[in-house]
């Protein structure tokens, strides 16, 4: 359990054992000399799965993926020097997407800094303000008092990675030589005096429940009217559920449905929200809002008075611009301490979970006399909500138009991929959706279903770095999973394929290869060529069959939709495979430009 061969081995093994008792299950380790005590300690702890990954950036995003899947902190370890700098993008994403990570960077001791000792940079607070908490540990010592300090500091680090809001925690850990377990007789002698059960007594797993958060405006009080009464009286209200990956998706979706039914308001559900994959729970589900709002006449008729936003706003720029223009009273429901209003409206943050809000709403509605929205004598009737019906009727019409249009397409075209995936994946399949064009096609075309598909994504900072590695982290020791990506995003993280030999599970990569950045074709800069093609679209002209062969990854080109459906009708249990769909970037962009504004035109 504890390794008393020398001071460093005791220090590192106490750290690893403390984390294991707190609930750590996975540690990702990059090779290096200065981190040797940590590597040896974690490798010896048989209750922690320890995974070696060569590339620090890939390792950090893989750790991010495992934490996304498990909702538990993952440990991430590297040696001193620029190795630590390569963790930075994943740490930013972890902070922005509220994912718990524990980062341990080994370092030179103070006397070997600022003297050109080699592989020594300033690692203290190297990640700026992105960690929830950061500190440098003391130089290792085998004294009982210092081991107590280490244990309690690790307990605090574990807690801060989850409370009050999940995110990264960074500990910089200096080590003096010897870095390897060379025996030290004085330290070995301490083992007979040390009682591990006494030392670790009372140490139990600590997992996040709902965060403790700042106070919110009370629902039952608010001047002349309570918030709930305002909601009850409003017949032009909407619920917006944005990018979200709740731990208990069905409870989350049920809570949103309960609020929607209580208020008789529609739910505008982002494609990355699980709400679209539990469609049977919500009779007022609106999935085509981006396309509906492109019709200016309809957008005006659908102007809301109140909007309840669950978490982050959806990706849709049409929706954001519409909210900014119409300025409804907005309530943001999220338990974190973050500011979730990029529109800077007169919003009220109710810092609670949607599950708690639904429970409180149900309780309050049994206590507060119902308000009449059109009935007689103060009795609550089931009103004919014309506003709700306009949303629902328009959703039905636009959804039918999309389905008819896309189902008739026989050639390989990007928008059909997301539309088809929402209908053919096996129930509860995890799918990692890459940034840029895939997330937007999912928002436009992902069809509501009852398949309980589990979407994953890196929408904290919205970057393309580390996408493959994150997807592998999500799929590791999970059920067979899917990744949807473009070619540039995959190429940005091909070192993720080096994880293959340690990866347990299966990942099918659906690669949309349009030889460049398809999203830029949708932006005004596409009209300016040069320099558009060379500096924005940046085609790479890569033969992915050869690339996959280099890493020993299965590859197949998909030529038609029947082949595509057949390949996804059953997912293997192990390995990585790439299904490549070769598309025309310009014609796909033109199809979107020609059609997105027309689906709700009639």
């Amino acid at each position: 359990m504890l390794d008393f061969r020398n001071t460093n081995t005791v220090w590192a093994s106490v750290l690893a054992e403390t984390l294991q008792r707190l609930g750590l299950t996975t540690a990702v380790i990059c090779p290096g000399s200065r981190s040797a005590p940590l590597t040896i300690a974690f490798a010896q702890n048989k209750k922690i799965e320890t995974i070696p990954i060569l590339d620090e950036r890939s390792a950090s995003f893989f750790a991010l993926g495992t934490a996304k899947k498990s909702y538990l902190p993952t440990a991430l370890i590297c040696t001193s020097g620029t190795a630590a700098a390569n963790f930075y993008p994943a740490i930013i994403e972890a902070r922005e997407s509220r994912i718990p990570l524990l980062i341990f960077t080994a370092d030179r001791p103070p006397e070997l800094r600022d003297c050109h000792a080699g592989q020594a940079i300033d690692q203290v607070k190297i990640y700026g303000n992105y960690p929830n908490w950061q500190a440098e540990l003391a130089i290792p010592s085998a004294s009982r008092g210092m081991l107590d300090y280490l244990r309690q500091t690790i307990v605090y680090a574990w807690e801060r990675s989850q409370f009050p809001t999940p995110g990264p925690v960074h500990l910089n850990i200096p080590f003096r030589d010897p870095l390897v377990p060379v025996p030290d007789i004085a330290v070995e002698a301490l083992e007979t005096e040390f009682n591990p059960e006494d030392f670790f007594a009372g140490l139990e797993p600590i997992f996040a429940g709902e965060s403790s958060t700042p106070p919110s405006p009370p629902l039952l009080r608010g001047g002349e009217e309570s918030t709930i009464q305002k909601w009850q009286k409003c017949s032009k209200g909407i619920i917006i559920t944005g990018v979200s990956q709740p731990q208990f998706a069905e409870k989350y979706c049920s809570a949103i449905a309960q609020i929607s039914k209580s208020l008789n308001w529609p739910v505008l559900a982002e494609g990355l929200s699980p709400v679209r994959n539990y469609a049977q729970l919500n009779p007022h589900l609106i999935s085509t809002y981006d396309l509906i709002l492109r019709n200016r006449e309809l957008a005006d008729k659908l102007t809301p008075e109140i909007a309840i936003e669950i978490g982050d706003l959806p990706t849709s720029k049409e929706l954001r611009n519409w909210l900014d223009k119409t300025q409804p009273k907005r309530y943001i429901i999220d338990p974190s301490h973050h500011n979730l209003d990029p529109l800077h409206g007169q919003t009220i943050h109710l810092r609670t979970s949607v599950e708690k809000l639904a429970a409180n709403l149900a309780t309050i509605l049994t206590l507060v006399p119902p308000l009449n929205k059109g009935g007689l004598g103060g009795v609550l009737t089931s009103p004919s909500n014309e506003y709700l019906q306009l949303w629902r009727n328009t959703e039905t019409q636009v959804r039918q138009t999309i389905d008819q249009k896309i189902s008739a397409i026989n050639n390989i075209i990007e928008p059909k991929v997301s539309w088809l995936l929402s209908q053919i994946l096996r129930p509860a399949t995890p799918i990692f959706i890459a940034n840029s064009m895939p997330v937007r096609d999912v928002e436009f075309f992902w069809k509501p279903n009852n398949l309980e598909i589990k979407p994953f994504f890196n929408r904290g900072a919205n970057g393309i770095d580390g996408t493959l590695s994150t997807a592998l982290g999500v799929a590791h020791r999970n059920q067979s999973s899917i990744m949807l990506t473009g070619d540039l995003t995959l190429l940005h993280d091909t070192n993720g394929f080096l994880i293959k030999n340690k990866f347990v599970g299966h990942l099918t990569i659906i690669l949309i290869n349009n030889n460049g950045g398809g999203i830029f074709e949708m932006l005004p800069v596409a009209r300016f060529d040069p320099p558009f093609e060379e500096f924005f679209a940046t085609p790479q002209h890569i033969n992915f069959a050869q690339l996959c062969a280099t890493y020993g990854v299965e590859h197949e080109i998909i030529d038609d939709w029947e082949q595509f459906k057949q390949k996804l009708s059953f997912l293997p249990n192990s390995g990585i495979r790439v299904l490549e769909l070769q598309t025309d970037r310009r014609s796909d962009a033109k199809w979107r430009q020609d059609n997105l504004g027309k689906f709700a035109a009639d």
Side-chain angles (χ1 to χ4, degrees):
M1 181 169 57
L2 297 185
D3 187 340
F4 281 87
R5 283 179 284 183
N6 62 41
T7 298
N8 283 339
T9 62
V10 175
W11 193 257
S13 61
V14 164
L15 186 152
E17 181 68 18
T18 301
L19 286 172
Q20 182 264 307
R21 289 177 181 242
L22 288 170
L24 183 78
T25 60
T26 307
V28 177
I29 299 182
C30 301
S33 175
R34 188 59 52 174
S35 54
L38 294 171
T39 300
I40 292 167
F42 278 93
Q44 289 179 162
N45 193 308
K46 301 307 180 185
K47 294 183 180 180
I48 299 174
E49 182 182 18
T50 304
I51 304 168
I53 296 179
L54 173 64
D55 182 291
E56 284 86 6
R57 190 179 72 172
S58 292
S60 59
F61 277 101
F62 181 85
L64 182 79
T66 61
K68 278 179 181 285
K69 168 194 65 185
S70 67
Y71 300 88
L72 293 174
T74 296
L76 182 60
I77 298 158
C78 73
T79 191
S80 62
T82 57
N86 286 291
F87 287 167
Y88 209 163
I91 289 167
I92 293 171
E93 178 62 33
R95 164 63 178 250
E96 296 300 320
S97 56
R98 293 176 265 173
I99 301 298
L101 283 182
L102 291 167
I103 300 97
F104 301 117
T105 54
D107 202 354
R108 297 269 187 168
E111 66 270 18
L112 293 181
R113 299 177 192 173
D114 297 315
C115 60
H116 284 252
Q119 205 169 317
I121 65 171
D122 186 357
Q123 296 177 197
V124 177
K125 297 189 176 180
I126 189 174
Y127 306 118
N129 292 325
Y130 284 99
N132 283 2
W133 180 65
Q134 53 193 317
E136 178 169 64
L137 293 184
I139 295 292
S141 167
S143 72
R144 174 61 189 256
M146 289 301 289
L147 292 178
D148 287 344
Y149 145 81
L150 173 63
R151 180 197 60 221
Q152 294 311 113
T153 303
I154 297 305
V155 171
Y156 183 65
W158 177 265
E159 291 174 344
R160 284 302 309 273
S161 73
Q162 300 177 80
F163 305 102
T165 300
V169 163
H170 172 219
L171 291 182
N172 196 56
I173 308 178
F175 287 105
R176 291 192 173 113
D177 287 339
L179 301 174
V180 293
V182 176
D184 181 332
I185 296 174
V187 176
E188 288 182 330
L190 294 174
E191 185 171 10
T192 58
E193 305 170 13
F194 195 88
N195 184 334
E197 291 312 310
D198 173 63
F199 182 77
F200 291 113
L203 206 61
E204 296 179 353
I206 300 173
F207 303 127
E210 180 168 327
S211 312
S212 57
T213 53
S216 297
L219 297 178
L220 280 172
R221 193 176 71 244
E224 297 178 358
E225 283 186 312
S226 74
T227 299
I228 293 296
Q229 287 174 317
K230 290 175 184 176
W231 293 355
Q232 278 186 288
K233 286 176 65 176
C234 179
S235 60
K236 288 189 173 181
I238 58 174
I239 299 166
I240 302 170
T241 173
V243 175
S244 58
Q245 190 213 308
Q247 184 171 4
F248 303 106
E250 187 169 358
K251 289 182 180 178
Y252 173 87
C253 296
S254 295
I256 292 171
Q258 182 182 335
I259 297 168
S260 170
K261 289 180 219 178
S262 296
L263 299 175
N264 225 25
W265 291 3
V267 176
L268 283 58
E270 151 84 57
L272 300 180
S273 166
V275 172
R276 285 207 205 178
N277 303 316
Y278 287 80
Q280 76 278 9
L281 296 177
N282 203 312
H284 306 327
L285 176 59
I286 309 297
S287 64
T288 60
Y289 54 86
D290 180 278
L291 308 174
I292 291 170
L293 296 176
R294 291 169 189 262
N295 182 322
R296 299 306 170 216
E297 184 180 346
L298 270 174
D300 288 341
K301 289 181 180 177
L302 293 168
T303 297
E305 296 171 1
I306 296 177
I308 296 175
E309 299 171 15
I310 315 296
D312 288 284
L313 278 172
T315 305
S316 170
K317 185 178 286 187
E318 293 290 333
L319 176 66
R320 293 176 183 227
N321 289 343
W322 177 68
L323 290 171
D324 199 29
K325 177 186 174 184
T326 57
Q327 289 293 316
K329 185 73 174 178
R330 292 162 54 216
Y331 296 84
I332 298 177
I333 313 302
D334 190 273
S336 79
H337 66 280
H338 289 196
N339 177 4
L340 296 178
D341 184 14
L343 304 180
H344 307 299
Q346 290 183 315
T347 51
I348 294 175
H349 282 71
L350 299 177
R351 298 192 185 276
T352 185
S353 68
V354 69
E355 294 87 352
K356 280 196 173 182
L357 176 64
N360 290 339
L361 182 62
T363 300
I364 291 166
L365 289 180
T366 63
L367 300 175
V368 178
L371 297 172
N372 182 18
K373 291 187 184 179
L376 300 173
V379 177
L380 181 66
T381 64
S382 181
S384 174
N385 188 330
E386 293 180 5
Y387 181 77
L388 173 62
Q389 279 308 123
L390 180 57
W391 271 112
R392 291 184 59 175
N393 292 342
T394 307
E395 163 78 7
T396 299
Q397 292 168 7
V398 174
R399 175 54 57 194
Q400 288 176 349
T401 304
I402 292 172
D403 292 348
Q404 291 169 2
K405 181 79 174 179
I406 295 185
S407 63
I409 296 173
N410 293 320
N411 58 307
I412 299 294
I413 183 172
E414 290 177 38
K416 187 163 181 172
V417 177
S418 299
W419 178 81
L420 204 52
L421 284 174
S422 65
Q423 302 169 72
I424 65 173
L425 291 181
R426 297 174 70 84
T429 298
I431 177 169
F432 192 92
I433 300 161
N435 286 322
S436 295
M437 216 51 239
V439 295
R440 286 162 175 83
D441 276 343
V442 164
E443 183 166 38
F444 297 149
F445 304 116
W446 191 270
K447 189 172 179 177
N449 60 74
N450 298 318
L451 297 174
E452 301 181 9
I453 294 164
K454 302 172 184 175
F456 292 87
F457 35 81
N458 281 343
R459 293 301 286 171
N462 298 0
I464 66 168
D465 37 358
T467 301
L468 172 59
S469 299
T470 311
L472 286 167
V474 168
H476 182 68
R477 297 195 183 279
N478 200 356
Q479 63 198 91
S480 298
S481 304
I482 298 286
M483 171 181 166
L484 175 62
T485 184
D487 53 305
L488 293 188
T489 298
L490 182 61
L491 289 171
H492 205 272
D493 191 29
T494 52
N495 263 8
F497 283 129
L498 294 174
I499 300 169
K500 175 176 175 283
N501 291 335
K502 296 296 180 181
F503 172 62
V504 179
H506 174 76
L507 181 67
T508 287
I509 300 167
I510 299 170
L511 168 63
I512 297 175
N513 182 9
N514 56 24
N515 195 25
I519 192 169
F520 292 110
E521 297 282 354
M522 306 292 293
L523 301 178
V525 72
R527 299 196 301 269
F528 300 92
D529 192 21
F532 174 74
E533 187 69 8
E534 183 179 3
F535 288 92
F536 292 89
T538 57
Q540 300 299 308
H541 308 288
I542 296 297
N543 184 320
F544 281 95
Q546 293 179 355
L547 177 70
C548 290
T550 299
Y551 291 100
V553 170
E554 182 183 340
H555 172 275
E556 187 172 350
I557 291 177
I558 301 298
D559 295 312
D560 60 66
W561 297 115
E562 286 306 314
Q563 179 191 9
F564 184 65
K565 288 190 280 189
Q566 187 269 325
K567 288 294 175 182
L568 294 177
S569 63
F570 175 78
L571 297 179
N573 293 321
S574 61
I576 305 171
R577 67 171 177 174
V578 173
L579 303 180
E580 179 181 351
L581 294 87
Q582 297 175 344
T583 66
D584 187 303
R585 177 167 24 101
R586 291 188 181 88
S587 66
D588 285 353
K590 186 176 185 305
W591 187 94
R592 293 189 193 93
Q593 289 161 352
D594 289 346
N595 288 280
L596 290 180
K598 294 179 181 178
F599 286 122
D602 298 330

